[in-house]
Amino acid sequence: MLSSCKDFKSLLQIHGHLIVSGFKQDSSVNTHLIKSYSLFHKCDFARIVFDSTTNPYVVLYNSMIRAYTRTNQHKEALQLYYLMMERNLEPDKYTFTFVLKACTGLLDLEEGFLVHKQIVDKGLECDQFIGTGLVDMYGKMGELRLAREVFDKMPNTDVVAWNAIIASLSQSSDPHEALEFFTSMRVSDVEPDIVSFLNLVPAVSKLADMDSCRSIHGYVFKRGLDEVISNGLIDMYCKCGDALVARHVFDRVWVKNDVSWGTMMAGYAHNGYFVMVLELFYQIKNENLKMNKVSVGSALLAAGEMGDLEKGKEIQDCVMQQYIDIDILLATSIMNMYAKCGELEKAKKLFGELPEKDLVAWSSIIAAFVQSGYPEEAVSLFRDMQTNYLRPNSITLMSILTACAHLSLLRLGKSIHCYALRANVDSDISTGTALVSMYAKCRFFSGALTIFNTMPCKDVIAWNALINGYIQNGFPYRAIEIFNELGLSEISPDSGTMVSLLQACVLLNDLDLGSYIHGQIIKYAFQSDCHVMNALVDMYAKCGNLSSSEMLFYRTDFGKDEVSWNIIIAGYMHNWHAEDSISAFHRMRLENFQPNVVTIVSVLPATAYLAALTEGMAIHACIIRMGFQSNTLVGNSLIDMYAKCGRLNYAEKCFDEMEYKDTVSWNVMLAGHAVHGQGNRAIALFSLMQERHFEVDSVSFVNVLSACRHSGLVEQGRKFFDSMRENHHVVPDLDHYACMVDLLSRAGLFDEALEFIKKMPIKPDAGVWGALLSACREHSNVQMGEVAWNHLVKLEPENPTNYVVLTSIYAQSGRWNDADETKSKMNERGLMKTPGCSWVEVNNQIRAFRVGDENCS
């Protein structure tokens, strides 16, 4: 009857009947009662039964110790074990098996050593059950050497023992050993079971070993076990980067439970397919299926990564409606979602309301702030955590090291490294990788290489950290060298490696190298990876091969996302194909992709370049509908667009209505006034910018000097130029010198302009001499024009504009022979002036009109 109890109420009735009937409860009955109560996780009732037994013997102690370990009350289990020892009862092999589980649950290595010594003293170390328990305990505590020693001493090893050692090695820093042991297990004629395959999942996932993944899938499929371990297969394929096959496995599962849904959603989230995560979430919701914390956590992560606050709130409401218990992990997921959606105060409020802030909560909020682009807040929280006397673990260290890298806080990074050494977590592969990344991004490459070269086990992420560090600091050649070293190792590059290398190609503007990396992408079968293909489209566009970029985007079948469209829109504009950029924007919307902030700031420059006011205003309306008008980047782009389309009043209105202005906002408005020749208004705005305590930078001075030169404000221009060094500690560059030369020479002050050029602390470039030559045409100054032209033909001999301008100066002065001679020199060099081009909107279509040199003014 006790064994057949299906619910706790029935068990209480049977126990009550035993007491009322006066039935003498012997140790056998009490053992069954304790076991039954433990199955319902009612250890307090089980302990009452135990304490009511006079002189309980070993079997009863074993049952009670086992009951405690079942309910994770490991301290109580050990206390009862020592009480048993005090009463001089001899523990048997079952006692030690349960006590070892308690030591494992507490991760108490010292206690584990003591129990192991007692086992050795009693000659039970070679017992199959106890040996397996020792292997499991040492493995879970990271003592793999001791685990292997125990395993090697075992005279007979069954599948459970093999599973214990494989599970331990799967979680180690070198998961290759787990695969080797699995092979040895099969050679030893031990047939693997379901647990064997599930234990291999972490190893294969860490290694991203697709071959092993497929082999395991084939093995379990042949034995008809694929349905049983489908969740493990889904997880493994996703961790190996193939979410498509994982989805096929998921779709083949006949009866999907909440674990299946949660695993698939977590897999999509792992691969960055956040749209798919939310699709599955809404499918569960619409079909009224059960949700678990994994599926909800994945959905919250997706909403956070997409910055979709409304969906995040909807998911939070769903948690409440389904009465899902909000433990600290789920509360942390909700908090992270708010942080990633920019709701920092809400995230902090939720964090403050947590009843217990354990290390997981602190680590999560720090990680969320780092990932959301708020490293300063993360560092502040880390210091608050330390004042609460919590010791950071490897996860906390990885997050704070990332923050140090973002802020170039090398000193704090070194302090974290010292702590990692003292805490003996520096050898952990994740911590080691974070240290490599931090040192590399702080430009301390000797430290990065020292850590990298001393890591006992390196995975592809560690290699990527070093490659990324060199690229982000402008050393693409060194990054390529590291990639070549990776090719000599046994580790295969992943999609992240390819994305980084394509960035190196862009920095070098090396199309040949980009084509080689494209070949590597095909070799390693990354053509279906959205991130890789996005980077490839971007590389071809930025390296000037727009046709290849278009071909890959439109004719290659890969899962495009909003980022893909943003890249092609920006790629068109990078190559001055403004009409194609606008067309791509419209096509993106037709294909039901939602434009984001990046889309808007990519397409608005195209409308500005074409002075396509109608298109620009249509996009402005789109911005209002999507609620992006408060975004500073969008506001800056709108000001620029309206100014370049000739509607300075609209630009000023956008500027005045901006809630959050930055230095760029002021600079763009200054540039608008400068282009429209409103020098005095630009000067007034420049003064107001300083009064409002916005930092004026190099660009601010280029714009205000440009305003002065367009308006002929020579004296004010001189004052601004002199104030750069004296008052603002801004070192003038060639753009500032070109503005001053243009200002002086337009005013007819050619001698002063030439003297100014001679006194320049840096060598004048074509922009400086070009400004002088253009002013010479306005004033028909042949002598000074020849001086400027002589310098320009040395700096840019293939530029036909310089010849055309000098020819014009000669013609204006009536020196027709010199004009003809200059034109002949231009023709001898095979140079042709690019025809001018104007745009006009006709019936909402942009039409271009090109004119030849003869008609250009």
Side-chain angles (χ1 to χ4, degrees):
M1 287 174 69
L2 286 170
S3 300
S4 63
C5 284
K6 300 297 181 186
D7 55 64
F8 181 57
K9 186 179 178 182
S10 300
L11 176 60
L12 285 174
Q13 288 174 343
I14 294 167
H15 191 182
H17 181 74
L18 286 170
I19 295 168
V20 171
S21 65
F23 184 81
K24 185 180 178 183
Q25 293 175 224
D26 59 14
S27 294
S28 175
V29 173
N30 285 350
T31 300
H32 275 86
L33 277 167
I34 290 169
K35 180 183 177 183
S36 298
Y37 277 125
S38 72
L39 290 172
F40 291 107
H41 290 236
K42 299 293 182 182
C43 272
D44 46 350
F45 285 85
R47 186 60 190 254
I48 291 169
V49 173
F50 178 84
D51 290 338
S52 68
T53 306
T54 307
N55 298 322
Y57 64 103
V58 173
V59 174
L60 209 61
Y61 272 97
N62 289 349
S63 297
M64 194 65 230
I65 292 168
R66 187 186 189 191
Y68 279 134
T69 58
R70 269 183 174 171
T71 54
N72 296 322
Q73 297 182 59
H74 304 299
K75 282 185 180 178
E76 290 80 356
L78 284 176
Q79 287 168 1
L80 193 62
Y81 167 69
Y82 283 113
L83 177 65
M84 174 183 173
M85 300 290 282
E86 285 173 16
R87 292 182 178 175
N88 296 317
L89 286 168
E90 193 74 18
D92 60 16
K93 64 178 183 179
Y94 299 108
T95 317
F96 286 121
T97 302
F98 303 141
V99 170
L100 285 172
K101 284 184 180 177
C103 295
T104 305
L106 289 170
L107 294 177
D108 191 334
L109 186 60
E110 189 175 341
E111 199 68 57
F113 281 145
L114 290 173
V115 175
H116 189 177
K117 185 177 182 302
Q118 292 162 9
I119 289 166
V120 172
D121 291 343
K122 294 188 181 298
L124 294 172
E125 190 180 20
C126 293
D127 178 87
Q128 194 162 305
F129 292 106
I130 292 174
T132 302
L134 285 167
V135 170
D136 184 57
M137 178 188 75
Y138 284 130
K140 286 177 179 172
M141 292 186 192
E143 295 290 336
L144 297 178
R145 181 183 59 81
L146 294 173
R148 291 187 66 166
E149 283 180 8
V150 173
F151 183 82
D152 291 340
K153 287 179 183 176
M154 292 173 68
N156 298 306
T157 48
D158 60 3
V159 68
V160 180
W162 281 98
N163 288 346
I165 191 70
I166 289 168
S168 302
L169 294 169
S170 281
Q171 302 289 351
S172 72
S173 59
D174 187 8
H176 284 103
E177 287 191 274
L179 296 175
E180 290 171 7
F181 261 76
F182 180 77
T183 304
S184 301
M185 172 185 176
R186 294 183 64 192
V187 169
S188 302
D189 293 328
V190 177
E191 185 67 20
D193 60 9
I194 293 169
V195 177
S196 312
F197 294 112
L198 290 174
N199 286 348
L200 277 178
V201 169
V204 176
S205 300
K206 275 186 181 181
L207 295 167
D209 187 345
M210 185 57 78
D211 290 337
S212 296
C213 185
R214 291 186 183 118
S215 296
I216 291 168
H217 191 177
Y219 192 91
V220 298
F221 182 79
K222 285 179 184 176
R223 284 155 182 76
L225 300 172
D226 53 321
E227 181 85 11
V228 182
I229 67 162
S230 56
N231 294 334
L233 289 170
I234 293 165
D235 183 51
M236 194 160 50
Y237 273 117
C238 286
K239 296 279 176 60
C240 289
D242 199 334
L244 186 64
V245 175
R247 182 58 188 262
H248 286 317
V249 175
F250 174 76
D251 290 339
R252 282 174 59 89
V253 176
W254 187 250
V255 180
K256 299 179 182 69
N257 57 17
D258 59 319
V259 178
S260 310
W261 289 94
T263 305
M264 191 66 247
M265 289 171 72
Y268 274 139
H270 177 79
N271 286 279
Y273 299 135
F274 302 116
V275 173
M276 299 301 297
V277 174
L278 293 179
E279 278 187 16
L280 289 180
F281 171 78
Y282 284 112
Q283 192 175 339
I284 296 172
K285 184 184 175 187
N286 295 335
E287 294 179 17
N288 293 318
L289 300 173
K290 182 186 175 185
M291 292 186 193
N292 62 19
K293 292 176 185 178
V294 174
S295 53
V296 170
S298 299
L300 287 165
L301 173 65
E305 291 294 337
M306 293 171 71
D308 196 328
L309 183 60
E310 292 307 311
K311 281 192 173 66
K313 288 179 177 178
E314 190 179 339
I315 295 160
Q316 187 182 2
D317 291 342
C318 198
V319 171
M320 304 298 183
Q321 291 163 8
Q322 292 219 0
Y323 302 104
I324 298 172
D325 178 38
I326 301 180
D327 59 10
I328 195 161
L329 287 172
L330 192 52
T332 302
S333 296
I334 296 169
M335 181 180 68
N336 287 352
M337 181 274 294
Y338 279 109
K340 288 177 180 177
C341 288
E343 295 283 329
L344 297 191
E345 293 307 315
K346 178 70 174 176
K348 283 182 178 177
K349 184 174 180 290
L350 286 170
F351 181 70
E353 290 171 355
L354 287 176
E356 291 181 13
K357 298 181 187 67
D358 62 2
L359 188 56
V360 173
W362 281 100
S363 298
S364 295
I365 186 109
I366 289 168
F369 275 61
V370 172
Q371 291 164 14
S372 305
Y374 301 99
E376 298 94 341
E377 293 279 355
V379 171
S380 175
L381 283 165
F382 177 70
R383 286 175 174 145
D384 291 344
M385 186 185 96
Q386 289 180 304
T387 59
N388 282 272
Y389 304 106
L390 278 169
R391 297 177 66 183
N393 59 15
S394 59
I395 296 169
T396 326
L397 295 182
M398 282 191 289
S399 296
I400 203 63
L401 284 168
T402 304
C404 292
H406 283 309
L407 300 170
S408 296
L409 297 176
L410 181 59
R411 187 173 179 182
L412 177 60
K414 285 182 174 180
S415 300
I416 303 295
H417 187 185
C418 291
Y419 174 84
L421 286 167
R422 290 196 302 273
N424 197 32
V425 294
D426 62 307
S427 59
D428 177 79
I429 191 166
S430 301
T431 307
T433 300
L435 284 166
V436 170
S437 180
M438 183 274 296
Y439 280 131
K441 288 177 181 176
C442 290
R443 300 178 70 90
F444 186 49
F445 288 106
S446 58
L449 286 167
T450 300
I451 300 293
F452 183 78
N453 291 328
T454 55
M455 285 175 72
C457 178
K458 290 186 275 286
D459 60 7
V460 69
I461 299 169
W463 286 89
N464 289 350
L466 195 57
I467 290 168
N468 281 329
Y470 279 116
I471 290 168
Q472 289 177 22
N473 283 289
F475 299 105
Y477 286 114
R478 188 74 184 98
I480 299 299
E481 288 174 8
I482 298 295
F483 172 67
N484 291 334
E485 290 178 27
L486 171 62
L488 297 173
S489 71
E490 294 181 356
I491 299 170
S492 298
D494 66 358
S495 59
T497 320
M498 297 303 165
V499 171
S500 299
L501 292 170
L502 289 167
Q503 290 172 357
C505 300
V506 171
L507 285 175
L508 295 166
N509 195 27
D510 191 333
L511 190 58
D512 290 336
L513 180 61
S515 299
Y516 166 73
I517 301 301
H518 189 173
Q520 294 293 300
I521 289 166
I522 294 168
K523 175 184 175 183
Y524 289 102
F526 291 126
Q527 305 98 307
S528 60
D529 188 289
C530 183
H531 304 298
V532 173
M533 294 307 291
N534 287 346
L536 195 58
V537 170
D538 185 57
M539 182 276 296
Y540 276 121
K542 286 179 178 172
C543 289
N545 191 343
L546 189 59
S547 58
S548 292
S549 185
E550 286 181 300
M551 186 273 292
L552 283 169
F553 184 81
Y554 290 114
R555 298 183 190 175
T556 308
D557 185 23
F558 69 96
K560 297 179 186 67
D561 57 8
E562 286 80 3
V563 176
S564 314
W565 285 98
N566 292 346
I567 285 169
I568 196 68
I569 289 166
Y572 278 128
M573 197 55 219
H574 181 81
N575 290 276
W576 306 110
H577 287 234
E579 291 178 67
D580 291 326
S581 182
I582 294 169
S583 296
F585 172 73
H586 291 308
R587 186 166 175 179
M588 172 188 185
R589 297 184 67 196
L590 284 171
E591 295 192 19
N592 295 319
F593 285 92
Q594 185 72 11
N596 55 26
V597 169
V598 178
T599 320
I600 300 301
V601 298
S602 298
V603 75
L604 276 174
T607 63
Y609 178 74
L610 297 170
L613 181 62
T614 306
E615 282 285 0
M617 293 179 79
I619 293 169
H620 191 174
C622 183
I623 288 165
I624 294 168
R625 284 197 303 274
M626 292 187 293
F628 293 154
Q629 63 269 34
S630 61
N631 184 279
T632 304
L633 289 172
V634 171
N636 295 343
S637 297
L638 281 170
I639 296 166
D640 182 60
M641 182 272 293
Y642 279 123
K644 288 177 179 173
C645 288
R647 290 301 180 97
L648 194 62
N649 55 333
Y650 288 1
E652 287 179 312
K653 188 173 186 295
C654 289
F655 178 78
D656 293 337
E657 290 176 354
M658 280 183 74
E659 189 176 354
Y660 303 106
K661 297 182 183 73
D662 59 8
T663 298
V664 177
S665 314
W666 291 86
N667 287 347
V668 174
M669 196 67 245
L670 277 171
H673 284 304
V675 169
H676 287 266
Q678 297 184 353
N680 288 320
R681 293 186 71 178
I683 291 169
L685 188 69
F686 186 75
S687 300
L688 183 62
M689 179 182 180
Q690 294 173 80
E691 287 172 19
R692 298 277 176 87
H693 305 292
F694 282 90
E695 184 182 355
V696 293
D697 60 11
S698 176
V699 178
S700 311
F701 278 104
V702 168
N703 290 333
V704 77
L705 287 172
S706 183
C708 290
R709 70 190 174 97
H710 283 303
S711 302
L713 303 173
V714 178
E715 200 54 44
Q716 291 92 326
R718 285 195 185 104
K719 287 179 181 177
F720 284 125
F721 186 82
D722 292 338
S723 71
M724 286 178 67
R725 285 182 190 273
E726 295 170 10
N727 302 334
H728 300 280
H729 309 291
V730 176
V731 179
D733 60 24
L734 287 165
D735 288 333
H736 302 104
Y737 284 108
C739 283
M740 282 304 295
V741 169
D742 193 49
L743 173 67
L744 295 169
S745 53
R746 278 187 187 215
L749 303 171
F750 286 103
D751 291 337
E752 186 179 344
L754 188 60
E755 191 62 28
F756 181 85
I757 293 171
K758 288 177 179 177
K759 289 181 178 178
M760 281 174 60
I762 51 179
K763 186 179 178 181
D765 68 349
V768 174
W769 290 112
L772 183 61
L773 183 63
S774 295
C776 290
R777 178 167 62 175
E778 287 183 25
H779 292 272
S780 301
N781 189 331
V782 175
Q783 185 180 358
M784 194 63 72
E786 289 175 337
V787 171
W789 185 82
N790 286 327
H791 283 92
L792 283 166
V793 292
K794 292 175 184 174
L795 291 167
E796 42 181 29
E798 302 302 316
N799 187 349
T801 304
N802 300 322
Y803 290 88
V804 173
V805 174
L806 185 62
T807 301
S808 179
I809 294 170
Y810 283 138
Q812 287 169 3
S813 304
R815 294 172 58 171
W816 300 106
N817 291 334
D818 291 329
D820 290 339
E821 187 180 338
T822 304
K823 202 166 186 180
S824 297
K825 287 179 181 177
M826 176 179 163
N827 292 333
E828 285 170 11
R829 282 185 166 273
L831 303 177
M832 291 182 67
K833 184 179 183 294
T834 304
C837 184
S838 296
W839 291 271
V840 65
E841 281 190 78
V842 180
N843 297 327
N844 292 330
Q845 287 191 326
I846 301 157
R847 300 190 182 277
F849 295 90
R850 301 187 184 277
V851 290
D853 294 350
E854 292 78 5
N855 299 321
C856 288
S857 59

